[in-house]
């Protein structure tokens, strides 16, 4: 009876540890955005140069609050997450077996009890894993978590991952426009219009570096790592991607973020660190912002461009995910 209660309490604590960083990151960002809205409203009521600037340059105001929100959320979550692996400390870490079993968690933890539990579990399963690893490799070639035709952690692999992510993101975005999903999502349209009006250098810095860094640390580093320990690899990929989508709020952004979240989580599991998903996330954000701000993306909203992006993502996806022979 006591053992059952102890396991239940430990399970509850594990669930709390999974979701707490998400809520802390979300609330910190919402708090900054709320305070920013109140400040802007107060300045607008007073009128003057500040009100004129807010009216004339909404993108500049938005990019400032986006940066502060991301950094505030990162600062709030960091004490819980501690150090997160950026690149694998040794060759091959995180590649795992073709079925994804045995892949080391992407995130790290500072909690002593959880570390001890993980070490004990590893010791109990070490013999079984050693006996069955080769059998699993031979029996189940391929799969999202297997080594592809290019090594993900090599320069070529990183380049393929970035191209795959960018092309897939552009394909999804073009598809959303062609199907009218973004036009129906008025809130997303207003947010995109304001973001695209931000100064180019500031937008690239915030949307291409600051925001991806904060989000990758929280969602792939802390949340995905904890989910992988508690729930297993596949559940962690799906669960962290869903939370990533929920965080972005609007329907179209939610669907887009959840889809890309799956890709980033798979890369995190394959690489054993957050550098490659961070590289891909930054590439997607920076390129889409640049294309939108310069008016190029609007010209790409055609079936031909959608097909081209789908083709490029298929080619690079084949190199990354098709198992070796």
């Amino acid at each position: 009876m006591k053992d059952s209660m102890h396991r239940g309490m430990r399970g509850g604590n594990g669930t709390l540890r999974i979701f707490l960083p998400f809520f802390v990151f979300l609330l910190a960002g919402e708090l900054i955005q709320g305070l920013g809205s109140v400040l802007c409203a107060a300045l607008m009521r007073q009128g003057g140069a500040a009100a004129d600037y807010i009216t004339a340059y909404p993108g500049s105001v938005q990019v400032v609050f986006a940066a502060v929100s991301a950094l505030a959320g990162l600062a709030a979550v960091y004490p819980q997450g501690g150090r997160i692996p950026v690149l694998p400390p040794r060759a091959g870490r995180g590649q795992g077996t073709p079925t994804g079993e045995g892949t080391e968690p992407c995130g790290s933890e500072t909690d002593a009890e959880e570390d001890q539990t993980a070490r004990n579990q590893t010791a109990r399963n070490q013999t079984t894993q050693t006996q069955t690893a080769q059998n699993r490799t031979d029996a189940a070639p391929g799969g999202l978590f297997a080594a592809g035709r290019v090594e993900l952690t090599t320069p070529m692999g990183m380049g393929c991952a970035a191209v795959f992510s960018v092309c897939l993101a552009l394909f999804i975005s073009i598809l959303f426009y062609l199907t009218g999903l973004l036009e129906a999502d008025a809130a997303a349209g207003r947010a995109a219009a304001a973001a695209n009006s931000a100064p180019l250098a500031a937008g690239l810095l915030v949307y291409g570096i600051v925001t991806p860094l904060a989000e990758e640390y929280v969602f792939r580093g802390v949340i995905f790592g904890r989910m992988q320990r508690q729930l297993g690899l596949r559940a962690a990929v799906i669960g962290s991607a869903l939370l990533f989508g929920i965080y972005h709020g609007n329907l179209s952004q939610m669907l887009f973020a959840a889809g890309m979240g799956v890709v980033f989580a798979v890369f995190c599991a394959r690489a054993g660190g957050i550098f490659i998903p961070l590289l891909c996330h930054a590439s997607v954000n920076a390129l889409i912002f640049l294309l939108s701000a310069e008016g190029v993306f609007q010209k790409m909203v055609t079936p031909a461009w959608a097909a081209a992006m789908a083709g490029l993502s298929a080619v690079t996806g084949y190199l990354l995910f098709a198992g070796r022979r």
Side-chain angles (χ1 to χ4, degrees):
M1 183 66 176
K2 290 182 179 180
D3 291 341
S4 299
M5 293 176 62
H6 179 69
R7 285 195 298 269
M9 292 174 62
R10 187 168 56 188
N13 290 336
T15 302
L16 178 62
R17 288 177 59 79
I18 288 174
F19 289 101
L20 184 59
F22 170 75
F23 289 116
V24 169
F25 188 69
L26 178 64
L27 291 176
E30 290 296 322
L31 177 61
I32 296 298
Q33 293 288 351
L35 292 175
S37 299
V38 172
L39 177 60
C40 289
L43 293 174
M44 292 293 291
R45 286 195 298 269
Q46 292 180 0
D52 294 339
Y53 184 87
I54 294 172
T55 303
Y57 304 102
S60 299
V61 177
Q62 179 169 318
V63 79
V64 169
F65 287 124
V68 176
S69 297
L71 293 175
L74 179 61
V77 173
Y78 184 80
Q80 305 174 45
R83 296 182 59 186
I84 296 296
V86 176
L87 283 174
R90 61 180 183 274
R93 178 176 179 175
Q95 295 297 331
T97 61
T99 59
E101 301 296 336
T103 305
E104 297 187 35
C106 179
S108 67
E109 294 292 342
T110 58
D111 184 83
E113 182 179 354
E114 182 166 324
D115 287 344
Q116 184 61 45
T117 301
R119 286 194 294 269
N120 292 340
Q121 184 64 36
T122 300
R124 287 194 296 269
N125 294 337
Q126 185 174 9
T127 302
T128 302
Q129 289 176 349
T130 301
Q131 293 173 347
T132 59
Q134 185 61 47
N135 292 335
R136 287 199 308 267
T137 302
D138 295 338
L144 290 177
F145 305 104
R149 294 175 181 266
V150 296
E151 291 287 349
L152 184 61
T153 53
T154 63
M156 182 178 179
M158 294 180 189
C160 285
V163 172
F164 172 79
S165 301
V166 167
C167 291
L168 180 61
L170 286 173
F171 169 71
I172 295 173
S173 299
I174 294 171
L175 191 63
F176 281 1
Y177 271 99
L178 291 176
T179 57
L181 180 60
L182 280 180
E183 294 179 2
D185 194 340
R190 290 192 297 270
N196 294 338
S197 66
L200 187 62
L204 289 174
L205 174 64
V206 173
Y207 300 125
I209 298 178
V210 177
T211 300
L213 177 62
E215 292 180 354
E216 288 307 312
Y217 178 88
V218 173
F219 287 95
R220 255 62 66 181
V222 179
I223 294 175
F224 174 75
R226 292 182 179 184
M227 280 190 170
Q228 186 174 349
R229 291 181 178 86
Q230 296 288 331
L231 307 175
L233 182 58
R234 289 173 177 78
V237 169
I238 297 173
S240 61
L242 289 176
L243 289 179
F244 189 53
I246 292 171
Y247 169 74
H248 285 81
N250 299 321
L251 176 60
S252 57
Q253 292 176 335
M254 184 183 302
L255 295 174
F256 177 85
M260 297 308 300
V262 170
V263 174
F264 298 153
V266 170
F267 286 156
C268 185
R270 287 270 302 274
I274 65 171
F275 177 78
I276 292 178
L278 173 58
L279 172 67
C280 296
H281 192 164
S283 300
V284 168
N285 280 19
L287 186 60
I288 288 182
F289 171 78
L290 182 62
L291 293 176
S292 300
E294 296 298 316
V296 177
F297 177 77
Q298 290 74 8
K299 299 177 182 178
M300 296 175 62
V301 183
T302 63
W305 272 106
M309 294 300 99
L312 286 173
S313 62
V315 171
T316 50
Y318 174 80
L319 295 175
L320 291 167
F321 301 117
R324 296 172 180 169
R325 294 179 179 176

